[in-house]
Amino acid sequence: MPGLLFCDVSQKTLELPIPEESLDIITMIFVLSAINPEDMAHCIKNLTKYLKPGGTFLFRDYGRYDLAQLRFKDGRCLSDNFYARGDGTKGIFLYTARDGQTIHRGGPSKSSKHC
């Protein structure tokens, strides 16, 4: 079943038109930084049920101290590394490569390659 699926992963419950444990890879590019930090855990948990055993999350996002973070003006910081943009959206800056961990179905594991 190759293809792409777009959805709002910030929902408290996530029902997708595909069977659970059917995906090899879930790719999220600049997604986590757009989610409220309080909602990240349930987003990952909701998506995990769609990964096959041994499936992998691939993600690319803003890292802490990216130039985009350093450009924020005073008064835009809502909490630790969580900012309000001028257009009303919010963004969080994550630890770069989160200490070398990637997210797999069984939990965090070390990865030897980082971009």
Side-chain angles (χ1 to χ4, degrees):
M1 177 188 318
L4 298 175
L5 177 67
F6 298 92
C7 62
D8 179 1
V9 298
S10 66
Q11 300 173 49
K12 293 294 181 192
T13 59
L14 186 63
E15 298 298 326
L16 300 178
I18 57 173
E20 293 184 8
E21 296 189 348
S22 64
L23 300 175
D24 293 307
I25 298 171
I26 294 176
T27 303
M28 297 185 293
I29 300 173
F30 296 105
V31 172
L32 292 176
S33 63
I35 295 173
N36 188 314
E38 296 171 1
D39 295 332
M40 281 187 194
H42 83 258
C43 291
I44 298 298
K45 182 180 177 184
N46 285 342
L47 289 168
T48 298
K49 69 182 178 182
Y50 292 100
L51 280 175
K52 290 179 182 176
T56 303
F57 280 99
L58 299 176
F59 62 94
R60 162 64 169 103
D61 227 307
Y62 294 108
R64 190 172 288 191
Y65 307 120
D66 275 352
L67 185 57
Q69 180 183 18
L70 300 176
R71 288 182 178 164
F72 274 104
K73 307 286 186 220
D74 290 339
R76 293 286 185 181
C77 186
L78 302 173
S79 65
D80 188 33
N81 296 298
F82 189 48
Y83 292 82
R85 296 184 184 101
D87 64 0
T89 61
K90 296 175 180 66
I92 190 165
F93 293 83
L94 309 167
Y95 290 111
T96 305
R98 195 64 182 174
D99 300 325
Q101 295 180 341
T102 52
I103 301 169
H104 291 273
R105 184 169 175 74
S109 68
K110 292 291 182 183
S111 172
S112 60
K113 295 182 180 179
H114 305 288
C115 299

